[in-house]
Structure formats: C-alpha cells, structure tokens
Amino acid sequence: MGVIEQVRRPRLAAAVEAGVAMLPLDTPMLPLDQIVRGDCIAAMRSLPAKSVDMIFADPPYNLQLGGDLNRPDGSHVDAVTDEWDKFDSLAAYDRFTRAWLAEARRILKDDGTIWVIGSYHNIFKVGSAIQDLGYWILNDIVWRKANPMPNFRGTRFTNAHETLIWASTGEKAKYTFNYRSMKTLNDELQMRSDWEFPICGGQERLKKEDGHKVHPTQKPEALIYRVLLACTKPGDVVLDPFFGTGTTGAVAKRLGRRWIGIEREDAYIDAAQQRIDAALPLDESALATMQSPRSQPKVAFGVLVENGYLMPGAVLTDAKRRWSATVRADGSLLSTCGASGSIHKLGSTLQNAPACNGWTFWHHDATDGLKPIDALRQTYLLATQP
C-alpha cells in the first residue's frame, strides 16, 4: 500500500476487494493500510464517524528543551528539537490536544478504545482533556525503561518511565480486552500496569545515512505489540494519527490488524513505508491466541516473543524431541497433538505431571544445537541491563 495526500473515497471496487464493510455512498471510505500525508486533525475530520476500532497516539510531548544537551564527555545528545514538538504556549498545546482528541472520539466505534503515550511534560494535560471530552479512563500504564537515558546535568532524577493512558468512549461503553492473552503472555499471572521494556535501539532503531536517528522518539515494537494484542482482534482497524516511522503499522501488519497512519513529515513517511513493506505478517496458526479461562520468573516468556527473541511460528521441543509445539503471538504454545497453554502448563499436560518448569523443559534450535529457552531469557536480561 502507498501514501495518499488527502483522505478521499477510494474506488468502491477497491474497498470491496479489501473486505471493507459497505458505507453509504456519501461517506468517505477508509484508507486502509495506507499513510495519509498531512495534518492529523484535518485528516481525521475526513474519516467517517465510528469507523475505527482502536487509536494509538504518540503526540508531540511539548518538551520545551532550552539549549543544547551534552554528555559529560562533551558529545552532543540527539534530543527532540524538531519544529513539530514546539508550541507557542501551554494554552496553544491545550487547544491542539483537545482538537485532535475530539476528532479521535468522533471516529472511534462505540466499543473502541484509545491509547495515548506521553511524559511528565504533557501526559497530565492529555489526561485532563481526555476526561473533559467524555472518554472513560480504564488504566494508566507505566512503561519502565530498562535502559533509560541518564540525566546528564545531574539536576533531577533520571527520567526512567513514560505513561500510557488507555480509555474507552464512555463510562458504560463496552470494549475489547483480551485478558486471557495478557495472562498467558505473562506466564499465567495477571498482567500488571507497570511494563518494562528497553528503549528502542539496535537494529530496530531506524538510522539515516549519516548515522543519526530518523526519529528522536521511535517507540519499541514490543510496546505496541502488547497494546495491540491486549485490546484488538485480527481484522480490527487501528489508527495512528502521529505515525512517525510506522511502528504501529509494522506491528499491526504482523498481527493481522488493518491500520491507518497519518503523518506530515516526508522523511518519516519514507522510512515508515519502507519499514512496513518489509514487515512479514504472521500466519493464521501463529495468530491464534488463548481465549478460554485458566516463583514468577524475572522475565515472562511473552516478553521474549514481544522483543523478537522467539518469533511466533517458531517450533519448540523437549530435550529428547518427544514433543513439539509452535509459539503463538501471545506467548502461548500449540502442540502437534492439539493441546495448548503456557510454556509451563503445556509442558505439564504433555508429561501428565502436576507441574513443569517450561524454561528448562522447552528447547529451540540454535546455531550450535538444541538449547533451552532459558538461555534466551538470560540473553535478554544481559541485553537489557542498565
């Protein structure tokens, strides 16, 4: 799919081919799996009311950074100094925030939800606007950064987290929450509201030819993966009005969700399109997640899946290759005999045992032979140490 300059009704035949539900003839069709180039508020105004299942928004934080920031060794910190993050006043930022949130609420389905991420610079203003506009806050999630940037000036605490607000369209509104998938992702414990992920880095971080970051605040795919897995279903439409380098679109494609991105910066659009074109969707069996009901390790198995240490669709076996199972998107396993569950539950089921340590029972084919998945956990821990 390509980039479009303005949201307009695509041909009806194209909509039918894409499997879009028919809308009245005077209603614009959704630009599914496309990046809309332009202002987010204007673009959202041209979308049909009650047409989107979920919105993930990473708006400008209005950081108000003054002067250059340097490390103790004198090297420059590549911080957020772009024009899109600058507002004339706090009142101007408030008007902008309320305008885009109002449009977001109009285009959300009655059972849809919105996620907004921010820092202490803006999240309290966002939260106030969300409540004033009639949304109903379901959770605030704290993203604890495993490897935060230090406070180089030594004048404050290290800013080691960001906050996500999750809200429905109203107090009585129904909404999707895949509770069982979240519990499975967290090794059969209820998922908490504090999530630990490293900041975006390594091969995932998009770079320009000169080595500088394409986008200063690129979010890790693992974070968006958990959000989409938590409150959308395959085929749902996810809108990101501040698309940036396309993290939401890339993850949505992997998880079988439809997506719409809105972005005004050409450099980000080009990088996002290339990234999404290269993303591989999961096959149908890997997309299946746990739907039926029923010491915590330092890292849940689902975290390895979210961070790409094991991809959905990978095959695990026991040490003697008596049993095998396929990894699914939420960290659950599906055995060849049809049984499914977490790494621990399925291991005990197959052995007809009262309990099983899935970390040592299940193995994966590494370059140097069959290795327990606990080795991947240790690799993850080493890679995310501050």
Side-chain angles (χ1 to χ4, degrees):
M1 296 294 180
V3 180
I4 56 177
E5 298 294 335
Q6 180 72 25
V7 182
R8 296 284 186 241
R9 268 181 55 196
R11 293 180 181 175
L12 195 58
V16 173
E17 183 181 352
V20 183
M22 289 292 190
L23 296 170
L25 291 178
D26 59 348
T27 301
M29 288 292 183
L30 292 177
L32 294 177
D33 305 327
Q34 296 184 71
I35 305 173
V36 181
R37 189 193 310 271
D39 173 76
C40 70
I41 297 172
M44 284 194 287
R45 281 176 180 157
S46 59
L47 295 179
K50 303 183 187 302
S51 60
V52 171
D53 296 289
M54 198 202 85
I55 294 173
F56 181 87
D58 184 7
Y61 287 10
N62 193 26
L63 295 178
Q64 303 175 330
L65 295 177
D68 291 335
L69 183 61
N70 296 302
R71 299 181 178 86
D73 62 4
S75 60
H76 179 68
V77 176
D78 191 8
V80 184
T81 56
D82 304 82
E83 288 300 318
W84 52 257
D85 193 58
K86 297 176 181 178
F87 292 82
D88 292 337
S89 65
L90 293 178
Y93 187 79
D94 286 343
R95 289 192 295 272
F96 166 75
T97 299
R98 290 174 183 273
W100 77 258
L101 279 171
E103 282 304 312
R105 190 165 186 270
R106 182 187 66 83
I107 62 178
L108 270 177
K109 295 179 181 178
D110 290 336
D111 59 355
T113 59
I114 186 170
W115 289 75
V116 187
I117 187 169
S119 69
Y120 68 88
H121 303 86
N122 72 322
I123 198 63
F124 301 107
K125 286 183 170 293
V126 169
S128 177
I130 281 175
Q131 291 182 309
D132 289 346
L133 289 168
Y135 291 95
W136 188 258
I137 295 179
L138 301 169
N139 275 114
D140 65 326
I141 303 293
V142 174
W143 167 30
R144 293 190 297 121
K145 300 175 182 178
N147 52 345
M149 181 183 294
N151 183 276
F152 294 109
R153 291 173 178 160
T155 56
R156 304 182 186 182
F157 297 108
T158 296
N159 184 26
H161 77 279
E162 293 184 27
T163 301
L164 297 94
I165 294 175
W166 179 37
S168 64
T169 57
E171 181 180 2
K172 304 297 184 182
K174 296 182 179 180
Y175 55 91
T176 296
F177 177 51
N178 300 318
Y179 169 81
R180 183 63 197 174
S181 288
M182 289 296 97
K183 189 173 181 181
T184 305
L185 196 68
N186 199 38
D187 279 358
E188 295 300 325
L189 287 184
Q190 201 172 73
M191 184 72 77
R192 292 162 41 123
S193 62
D194 54 331
W195 300 352
E196 184 173 2
F197 296 103
I199 61 176
C200 188
Q203 292 184 343
E204 185 182 337
R205 169 66 79 173
L206 302 186
K207 298 286 185 69
K208 305 175 187 176
E209 290 184 3
D210 61 6
H212 288 87
K213 295 178 285 190
V214 172
H215 195 291
T217 62
Q218 182 181 334
K219 297 301 184 290
E221 288 193 6
L223 178 69
I224 312 302
Y225 185 108
R226 184 174 295 184
V227 168
L228 295 190
L229 199 64
C231 60
T232 63
K233 303 180 292 293
D236 279 357
V237 177
V238 180
L239 169 71
D240 187 333
F242 308 96
F243 203 53
T245 54
T247 305
T248 301
V251 175
K253 182 178 178 181
R254 285 173 56 201
L255 290 175
R257 277 64 168 165
R258 310 304 297 269
W259 58 270
I260 303 169
I262 303 172
E263 180 53 54
R264 69 183 194 185
E265 304 291 330
D266 290 342
Y268 300 161
I269 291 172
D270 292 343
Q273 192 65 62
Q274 292 179 38
R275 178 185 189 183
I276 294 168
D277 288 345
L280 297 176
L282 305 180
D283 63 37
E284 187 174 346
S285 61
L287 276 175
T289 57
M290 297 292 292
Q291 298 296 330
S292 57
R294 341 215 167 354
S295 100
Q296 166 74 349
K298 246 181 132 176
V299 177
F301 179 67
V303 171
L304 301 185
V305 180
E306 289 174 322
N307 283 276
Y309 283 74
L310 272 174
M311 300 299 293
V315 176
L316 304 181
T317 71
D318 66 295
K320 297 182 179 179
R321 298 187 184 274
R322 294 168 294 178
W323 298 285
S324 64
T326 301
V327 178
R328 300 196 288 187
D330 63 354
S332 62
L333 302 183
L334 176 66
S335 73
T336 52
C337 66
S340 63
S342 68
I343 57 172
H344 311 296
K345 183 178 179 181
L346 183 59
S348 64
T349 298
L350 294 175
Q351 299 176 91
N352 196 25
C356 171
N357 181 351
W359 290 109
T360 55
F361 175 76
W362 291 108
H363 291 62
H364 73 107
D365 281 302
T367 54
D368 54 345
L370 203 59
K371 298 292 182 183
I373 57 174
D374 189 53
L376 294 176
R377 175 169 61 163
Q378 300 309 319
T379 301
Y380 173 83
L381 284 171
L382 288 173
T384 57
Q385 290 300 313

